[in-house]
Amino acid sequence: MTTIVHWFRRDLRLADNTSLLAAAHDADRVVPVFVLDDHYGLDPNVGPSRFRFLRESLEELERSLAERGGRLVVRRGPPEKALPALVSETGARCVYANAEIGPYPEARDRAVASALEEKSSTLRVFGDALLVEPDAILSGAGEPYTGYSPFAKRWQSVEKRAPGPEPARLATPALPTVPLARVQAWKNAAENPLAPRGGEAEAGRLLGRFTTDALERYATSRDRPDEDGTSVLSPHLHFGTISPRQIRAALMAAADADPRVRSGAHRFELELAWREFFHHVLFHFPRVEEESFRPAFDRIAWAEPGAALDAWKSGRTGFPFIDAGMRQLSSTHWMHNRVRMAAGSFLTKDLHLHWREGESWFNRQLADADLANNNGGWQWVAGSGTDAAPYFRIFHPVLQSKKFDPHGTYIRRFVPELARVPETKIHEPWTMTAAEQSAAGCRIGFEYPAPILDHATERLRALAMFDVIRVSPASMARPAPFAG
């Protein structure tokens, strides 16, 4: 009887799970295991919203496996010790897993593979999290793409496989396991009804809602945080409770059924391409985890964090659109992408703080915190990354507000002290007269702060600060791809 261990990581689903399907095909018995990795449990940047999402996803996975005759085995790490021990217990000839991109998971997998070799076993890794794997496409010069537009053009031309089924049946031997309810990190994750919910079923529900209710207007409303026009699937893509193949298949099916949603489906597919672009960048240039993609940006004299950073984190900058976004982040552990860009520009270009400060805070707060996407997004808005917004592109916090939340609906949702401020003043409440402040029940400097800075002044300071980038064309050159 052949036994294979399937190692669940960021693929917490049964449907279209490449490694799990392969294990079910290749073995008589499959041992699904999740290893509690201390690397994440001890990382101060992994916040409670991610632990709760993970816990909910594993609890559902446990139930789903049981329905198919399987069982989720939970073991404490580190993986390079837990997995060889499990192989010895079960006589498994191999451990199957889906690939993860990033310096830590890649180093972890090398350590596991080495440890398994000592047990005469092997680690077999499958491509699963992306529609197009990082080693599948290169530029005409044989190099990784460092610009989104040419990448997306090539990415769209590559044939992509359809999603696979879920295993009909899994036979798992009885083995000791750590009860999920006893994991302390998850017990400490406070319940929050506003935060994204985990699990494969929830991912399917969100995808169905999006394709039915929002896809038709997605191309025009995706930048509007005041409208319910996005999929909110990013946490599910991060944890793998849904695959990009499932999403793409749903988009194509919706577009085939109704021509009115084709524009939205195409636009959303390009957002999947953005996600994959950042993963390709991390794969080829892992140094971005620690430093700017464009080295010149590490020579900038960034400001020291202090009270201004605290005001930004707490949503007390005095700029309603920025504050609404930061409060949405802290209360729901998700933030609309348009507001992420505006908040990121405010931190780096108005407060002159290093993009790493924002990356770290988002990593702590977001349920969808993902190294490739979080790092790529922050470097994009700072101007330091691949295919980045030019350093001189500085988002105006008031103009962004007026354009993308014209009636102040989003602001009022997350900044309730501004609820009675008239629409003509909601984007710049400091321009209200004393009488208007009294009528709105919102005194500037008391119920709501005055702006902590003057955007026009700080824009000029940012341009001067970023002058180091213009010293020579070589300063904008990209580094060579990692060849290790």
Side-chain angles (χ1 to χ4, degrees):
M1 179 173 288
T2 304
T3 302
I4 291 177
V5 172
H6 167 70
W7 180 13
F8 277 110
R9 291 108 72 91
R10 281 172 47 186
D11 57 336
L12 305 180
R13 65 183 185 280
L14 297 188
D16 189 37
N17 188 315
T18 308
S19 169
L20 182 63
L21 281 170
H25 176 270
D26 296 345
D28 303 300
R29 299 193 308 176
V30 177
V31 180
V33 63
F34 182 83
V35 179
L36 300 166
D37 194 334
D38 288 342
H39 173 79
Y40 298 108
L42 299 175
D43 186 346
N45 285 325
V46 179
S49 62
R50 271 196 280 171
F51 280 123
R52 197 188 77 163
F53 194 99
L54 175 60
R55 184 195 73 209
E56 292 175 346
S57 299
L58 286 172
E59 288 170 345
E60 181 181 318
L61 186 62
E62 190 173 49
R63 293 190 296 269
S64 298
L65 285 167
E67 292 170 358
R68 289 154 184 81
R71 186 183 183 198
L72 179 64
V73 178
V74 179
R75 294 292 171 90
R76 298 194 183 277
E80 62 268 26
K81 292 184 178 180
L83 292 168
L86 187 59
V87 163
S88 295
E89 288 178 52
T90 60
R93 64 177 179 85
C94 194
V95 174
Y96 283 11
N98 290 313
E100 285 189 75
I101 294 172
Y104 171 73
E106 290 172 23
R108 175 202 61 198
D109 287 359
R110 288 193 294 270
V112 168
S114 178
L116 287 173
E117 285 180 8
E118 297 179 6
K119 298 290 185 180
S120 300
S121 186
T122 57
L123 173 66
R124 186 178 176 189
V125 177
F126 299 80
D128 177 78
L130 303 176
L131 288 160
V132 179
E133 293 301 311
D135 56 358
I137 56 174
L138 296 171
S139 70
E143 296 183 348
Y145 285 98
T146 58
Y148 169 73
S149 295
F151 170 86
K153 183 177 181 180
R154 178 75 178 91
W155 181 89
Q156 290 179 85
S157 71
V158 175
E159 185 175 355
K160 302 168 183 68
R161 60 186 170 96
E166 61 183 53
R169 190 80 184 156
L170 289 167
T172 305
L175 292 163
T177 186
V178 176
L180 292 175
R182 292 178 58 185
V183 180
Q184 190 62 38
W186 304 339
K187 290 170 69 175
N188 293 339
E191 295 297 326
N192 180 356
L194 299 178
R197 314 302 304 191
E200 189 172 1
E202 175 66 4
R205 185 191 71 80
L206 288 174
L207 179 60
R209 178 200 62 81
F210 176 66
T211 54
T212 301
D213 300 336
L215 189 55
E216 180 179 350
R217 52 191 171 84
Y218 178 76
T220 56
S221 68
R222 66 188 184 89
D223 275 327
R224 292 285 297 272
D226 58 333
E227 298 181 4
D228 188 19
T230 60
S231 71
V232 202
L233 282 169
S234 51
H236 294 276
L237 279 167
H238 173 71
F239 283 97
T241 51
I242 198 168
S243 77
R245 291 173 297 281
Q246 291 173 293
I247 295 175
R248 183 173 180 271
L251 296 175
M252 295 173 64
D256 287 343
D258 186 351
R260 294 174 299 177
V261 308
R262 288 176 183 168
S263 176
H266 176 67
R267 181 64 255 182
F268 195 84
E269 186 176 25
L270 291 179
E271 294 304 311
L272 292 176
W274 262 115
R275 172 181 179 266
E276 304 216 348
F277 173 61
F278 285 143
H279 280 78
H280 283 224
V281 169
L282 179 63
F283 177 84
H284 291 292
F285 304 93
R287 62 188 291 275
V288 298
E289 182 184 19
E290 300 295 339
E291 55 191 85
S292 297
F293 181 83
R294 302 182 188 275
F297 279 79
D298 288 328
R299 300 200 302 269
I300 291 175
W302 300 97
E304 290 296 320
L309 177 61
D310 293 338
W312 178 82
K313 288 180 177 180
S314 61
R316 300 285 295 174
T317 69
F319 289 89
F321 194 64
I322 305 302
D323 291 343
M326 298 308 296
R327 296 190 197 186
Q328 179 183 33
L329 175 64
S330 62
S331 63
T332 72
H333 301 287
W334 186 84
M335 188 194 290
H336 190 281
N337 186 61
R338 167 55 57 175
V339 194
R340 294 189 197 202
M341 291 190 287
S345 179
F346 191 88
L347 180 86
T348 56
K349 309 295 176 61
D350 285 274
L351 298 180
H352 319 301
L353 291 168
H354 200 297
W355 56 266
R356 293 296 300 269
E357 298 288 348
E359 181 195 31
S360 176
W361 184 245
F362 275 30
N363 194 37
R364 172 74 183 172
Q365 293 293 321
L366 286 168
D368 64 18
D370 180 284
L371 174 58
N373 295 331
N374 195 29
N375 180 279
W378 272 100
Q379 293 222 42
W380 183 91
V381 78
S384 65
T386 61
D387 202 57
Y391 71 90
F392 51 80
R393 182 181 298 166
I394 300 173
F395 286 59
H396 194 301
V398 175
L399 296 183
Q400 290 285 307
S401 182
K402 291 179 176 179
K403 183 175 182 179
F404 298 110
D405 186 26
H407 306 296
T409 305
Y410 175 73
I411 291 170
R412 291 187 179 90
R413 185 185 312 160
F414 292 103
V415 190
E417 57 265 45
L418 299 178
R420 292 165 52 197
V421 173
E423 188 173 308
T424 55
K425 299 295 179 72
I426 189 69
H427 309 287
E428 302 170 280
W430 60 89
T431 63
M432 288 191 294
T433 65
E436 288 173 325
Q437 293 180 39
S438 178
C442 181
R443 296 169 299 162
I444 301 303
F446 294 91
E447 284 78 21
Y448 185 71
I452 62 174
L453 53 82
D454 176 72
H455 172 72
T457 300
E458 301 309 325
R459 178 182 179 277
L460 295 176
R461 287 185 61 197
L463 292 174
M465 184 180 78
F466 279 70
D467 262 351
V468 66
I469 306 304
R470 297 195 295 114
V471 171
S472 70
S475 70
M476 295 300 285
R478 62 176 176 81
F482 177 72

